[in-house]
Amino acid sequence: MSRKQTPPGHTDTTSLENFLRPIVEQFGCDLEAADIAPAGRRRLLRVLVDRDGGISLDDVAEVTRAISKALDTDDIMGEGAYTLEVSSPGVDRPLTLPRHWRRNKGRLVAVTMTEGGKLTGRIKDVSEEAAELDVDGKRQSVAYADVAKAKVQIEFNRAAGNDTETFDGVETPADGTVEEN
């Protein structure tokens, strides 16, 4: 059986993602992306991780150490020098999976439909097939299959009355504090 040799310093992204996914999942995180790009004489390995409730800098540091250790004991990156960069996706990341929508519940999103229409609304509810948006005070269901592009909108001056979110039937202020009666 002949085996296709990978050129030195070249790594297949799919193989790399398959290698990294179980490492990242040990920390309760999802591997959002892994990308290798040339950076001078080295390569830059960018790994994006996220999870429900967000990911802290301490979490990123733990995941980075685990990935670094695993890469040191395996030859998946080949012989070439590389720099490892682990981070979480920014707010400008497109919403492409149901978990992306779920993690942004309560946020304002701009959606471009596959048929060309556009709408902007606040994510109110999420399922595996669609999101319920509040568009100008009216609920509108948006099936993910009908979405060409969706991005969270950055709100610097969020309107009064939009400062609470409902999770598990309990309203909490957007800053995460809970008032006791």
Side-chain angles (χ1 to χ4, degrees), residues 19 22 25 30 32 68 70 99 110 148:
F19 175 81
E25 287 174 349
D30 294 309
E32 294 294 338
S68 180
R99 70 175 181 248

Side-chain angles (χ1 to χ4, degrees), residues 8-114:
H10 179 271
T11 303
D12 167 25
T13 303
T14 303
S15 298
L16 184 61
E17 287 179 351
N18 290 337
F19 175 81
L20 295 173
R21 188 167 286 106
I23 298 164
V24 170
E25 287 174 349
Q26 291 176 34
F27 296 90
C29 299
D30 294 309
L31 176 66
E32 294 294 338
D35 182 52
I36 301 170
R41 293 178 181 240
R42 304 176 74 95
R43 294 169 293 154
L44 176 61
L45 169 56
R46 284 191 181 109
V47 180
L48 296 179
V49 297
D50 202 4
R51 74 168 148 222
D52 288 359
I55 188 163
S56 71
L57 289 176
D58 289 339
D59 297 332
V60 170
E62 282 185 57
V63 172
T64 300
R65 282 190 291 274
I67 289 173
S68 180
K69 184 177 179 181
L71 290 172
D72 287 347
T73 61
D74 195 281
D75 65 349
I76 193 159
M77 288 296 292
E79 297 293 320
Y82 65 92
T83 300
L84 172 62
E85 177 184 291
V86 179
S87 63
S88 63
V91 70
D92 61 341
R93 170 212 23 221
L95 306 179
T96 58
L97 298 171
R99 70 175 181 248
H100 300 159
W101 291 81
R102 183 181 66 244
R103 290 176 180 158
N104 285 287
K105 193 172 175 182
R107 306 284 304 267
L108 190 67
V109 293
V111 181
T112 303
M113 306 303 288
T114 54

Side-chain angles (χ1 to χ4, degrees), residues 120-133:
T120 301
R122 191 164 308 281
I123 302 172
K124 291 297 186 179
D125 199 17
V126 177
S127 73
E128 288 299 310
E129 295 81 34
E132 290 286 324
L133 303 181

